[in-house]
Amino acid sequence: MSAVSSLCPEIGGYVVAKFGGTSVANFDAMNSSANIVLANKEVRLVVLSASAGITNWLIALAEGCDADKRADYLKQIHTIQHAIVDRLHDSDVIRQEINRLLENIKALSEAASLATSDALTDELVSHGELMSTLLFTELLRQRGTDVEWFDIRKIMRTNDHFGCAEPDNIQLQSLVTEYLLPRLQNALVITQGFIGREEKGRTTTLGRGGSDYTAALLGEALNLKRVDIWTDVPGIYTTDPRVVPSAQRIDKIAFDEAAEMATFGAKILHPATLLPAIRCDIPVFVGSSKNPQAGGTLVCDTTAAPPQFRAIALRRKQTLLTLHSLKMLHAQGFLAEIFTILSRHNISVDLITTSEVNVALTLDTTGSTSKNGYLLTNALMTELSTLCRVEVEEDLALVAIIGNQLSQVRGLGKQIFDALEVFNIRMISHGASNHNLCLLVPGKDAEQIVQTLHQSLFE
């Protein structure tokens, strides 16, 4: 019995397997991922990210750059993809396909050098997944597998919020039944994560890390047995092992705990991934494509005896807005006006604290593939300034302590803040959820704070 199946309940049906960028980074990584797919006959649908590094180069091209930089970025992308093509047999046809996409990238990057846009960015960035899935399909075909490449844009319809588009689940359910399900019954299907199409036919993206979300949405629409997420880490840990080498793997974790971790920065899962899984109670397995026999983490509905402290998550690049106005004092509707303005500019608020004449709120600047991840546009600042004085603090980090029934733990504050007495804590948020206590801290101190907390709470 495999490390995966020994953890997972038998509920019938197929499995969707998603492989991240490092799992398809080069020919050897793709070959290892193919081994995982072929070893499990229940895997009928595979979702891929772009090869590692490709998306970053494509975003750099989409931001508009001079001819020398453009040539350098294009060369990097060409090198990564052709290193895989060169390892394939009878590669003339697939080489032509990859070259055609590389020519598209070149043309789009030249257009971006003249005028950038979020729509152009999404069109350009989508080529990473198109190339990786074509290469992976050809690799499997050459290994004698009955396999079919499928363009996810046929079924993944979204709104036109380029850079972080939201899928239409009702359309997805209908289109999956019509176009995808019949193919699964005849062949192994390889498709793209992260990308979709809006009603006018333009390509969209679901935000950075959106391939996990794609896999979960397809698992829900097809009522599959399980979603397997294959990455470069064998499971979910008590914190990022790159920050704390002594971090411990969590073998089984509940949906709500994992959702808190994903929301507050744990990079193993995209924050939206668990929403479809929770709706349909589909278990999610997280394992390492480099070492599939090492086991991993099963995310499911409930776990026995959940611990008081489960994990520490870190999210960098946070922005703090402090809004000051005497009009707030005993006034009604001030916050409503503020949130209406933020909504008009497609900005969601993470944490918020208030006093008589001040509101402090945090904005997450990560997650979108939009060319300007910077959210504080001149238009937004001008509109806010008509209501209040605005102060902006950047280069902050959010440290979230994830656990169970934290709002009912006596001495919680003392335990945490005694450990952090030498650090400056800019903002504290606690009480809205039983599962987290959030600290906004200077970015330069973030890793040391995580290390100190982990030693105090877990070691």
Side-chain angles (χ1 to χ4, degrees):
M1 183 178 289
S2 72
V4 180
S5 59
S6 63
L7 280 172
C8 296
E10 296 295 326
I11 58 176
Y14 296 141
V15 170
V16 54
K18 177 265 174 179
F19 292 89
T22 56
S23 300
V24 291
N26 51 48
F27 181 85
D28 292 331
M30 280 194 175
N31 223 24
S32 296
S33 297
N35 290 339
I36 293 171
V37 171
L38 298 177
N40 185 355
K41 299 303 181 186
E42 292 177 330
V43 175
R44 301 294 291 171
L45 178 61
V46 177
V47 174
L48 299 186
S49 298
S51 298
I54 294 292
T55 299
N56 289 336
W57 294 120
L58 291 171
I59 289 176
L61 287 169
E63 290 174 346
C65 49
D66 60 42
D68 288 341
K69 284 187 177 180
R70 196 161 65 247
D72 180 50
Y73 297 159
L74 290 167
K75 182 181 178 182
Q76 298 285 350
I77 295 168
H78 183 283
T79 300
I80 292 171
Q81 303 294 240
H82 273 272
I84 300 172
V85 174
D86 291 342
R87 298 279 298 276
L88 293 168
H89 306 296
D90 302 321
S91 59
D92 288 348
V93 174
I94 187 65
R95 190 182 300 274
Q96 289 173 12
E97 281 296 303
I98 296 302
N99 285 340
R100 180 181 62 81
L101 291 172
L102 289 171
E103 283 299 315
N104 285 353
I105 292 170
K106 181 180 179 181
L108 290 167
S109 65
E110 288 172 354
S113 70
L114 300 174
T116 61
S117 74
D118 291 343
L120 177 59
T121 296
D122 278 7
E123 178 67 32
L124 185 49
V125 170
S126 71
H127 283 66
E129 277 70 18
L130 296 174
M131 290 189 292
S132 67
T133 49
L134 284 168
L135 291 166
F136 194 69
T137 301
E138 182 62 24
L139 186 151
L140 283 166
R141 186 175 289 123
Q142 293 189 8
R143 291 183 59 169
T145 306
D146 189 6
V147 62
E148 181 175 344
W149 184 85
F150 182 77
D151 189 338
I152 193 68
R153 293 172 294 186
K154 290 182 179 179
I155 60 175
M156 189 66 70
R157 301 297 162 78
T158 74
N159 62 13
D160 62 356
H161 187 186
F162 297 100
C164 199
E166 186 60 35
D168 184 328
N169 291 328
I170 295 175
Q171 281 201 70
L172 177 62
Q173 180 69 62
S174 172
L175 294 171
V176 154
T177 303
E178 182 178 358
Y179 293 107
L180 185 56
L181 186 57
R183 288 174 164 82
L184 294 178
Q185 295 165 351
N186 298 316
L188 173 66
V189 175
I190 313 300
T191 194
Q192 306 79 35
F194 176 59
I195 65 178
R197 175 176 288 155
E198 48 90 72
E199 64 178 10
K200 294 180 181 177
R202 294 175 294 178
T203 297
T204 58
T205 65
L206 309 185
R208 296 302 296 265
S211 293
D212 289 358
Y213 190 25
T214 301
L217 286 166
L218 293 175
E220 177 187 31
L222 290 161
N223 192 27
L224 299 185
K225 169 183 177 177
R226 193 178 65 247
V227 176
D228 291 349
I229 306 291
W230 294 100
T231 179
D232 56 354
V233 179
I236 299 173
Y237 282 70
T238 47
T239 197
D240 187 340
R242 290 166 292 192
V243 176
V244 181
S246 59
Q248 305 142 29
R249 188 174 71 195
I250 304 167
D251 290 332
K252 201 170 185 179
I253 186 172
F255 281 134
D256 49 8
E257 296 171 303
E260 293 278 350
M261 290 183 66
T263 299
F264 289 111
K267 295 181 179 179
I268 298 301
L269 289 174
H270 184 276
T273 301
L274 294 172
L275 296 176
I278 292 169
R279 288 194 295 257
C280 285
D281 193 16
I282 302 174
V284 176
F285 177 81
V286 181
S288 169
S289 62
K290 297 179 180 178
N291 188 11
Q293 298 308 315
T297 299
L298 181 69
V299 187
C300 51
D301 187 27
T302 57
T303 60
Q308 183 178 103
F309 298 110
R310 177 62 91 181
I312 301 169
L314 171 62
R315 192 166 68 192
R316 308 174 195 273
K317 297 182 181 178
Q318 303 301 288
T319 298
L320 178 67
L321 287 188
T322 303
L323 312 178
H324 174 86
S325 175
L326 295 176
K327 297 177 184 177
M328 286 178 59
L329 193 60
H330 306 304
Q332 297 178 348
F334 181 82
L335 277 179
E337 289 187 75
I338 294 297
F339 277 89
T340 297
I341 292 172
L342 294 173
S343 177
R344 274 201 297 271
H345 291 267
N346 295 313
I347 291 176
S348 60
V349 172
D350 272 351
L351 308 181
I352 181 168
T353 61
T354 65
S355 68
E356 287 85 354
V357 293
N358 288 292
V359 177
L361 45 87
T362 65
L363 311 177
D364 178 23
T365 60
T366 63
S368 174
T369 56
S370 170
K371 64 178 175 19
N372 50 18
Y374 192 67
L375 300 175
L376 304 181
T377 61
N378 289 335
L380 170 64
M381 298 300 285
T382 299
E383 200 166 351
L384 287 174
S385 297
T386 63
L387 290 178
C388 52
R389 188 177 81 246
V390 183
E391 296 177 14
V392 179
E393 296 175 54
E394 297 182 300
D395 298 323
L396 299 168
L398 186 64
V399 176
I401 299 156
I402 312 298
N404 292 280
Q405 304 300 320
L406 292 184
S407 62
Q408 300 174 28
V409 176
R410 294 184 179 181
L412 177 70
K414 177 176 173 57
Q415 186 173 359
I416 291 171
F417 295 112
D418 278 0
L420 300 179
E421 62 179 345
V422 299
F423 298 101
N424 174 44
I425 308 298
R426 181 62 185 85
M427 180 173 164
I428 302 164
S429 178
H430 179 49
S433 167
N434 273 327
H435 291 291
N436 71 64
L437 186 154
C438 296
L439 309 172
L440 193 66
V441 302
K444 62 182 178 60
D445 296 333
E447 289 197 2
Q448 195 173 352
I449 286 172
V450 170
Q451 292 161 358
T452 301
L453 281 172
H454 194 275
Q455 184 172 18
S456 174
L457 303 181
F458 294 96
E459 301 172 42

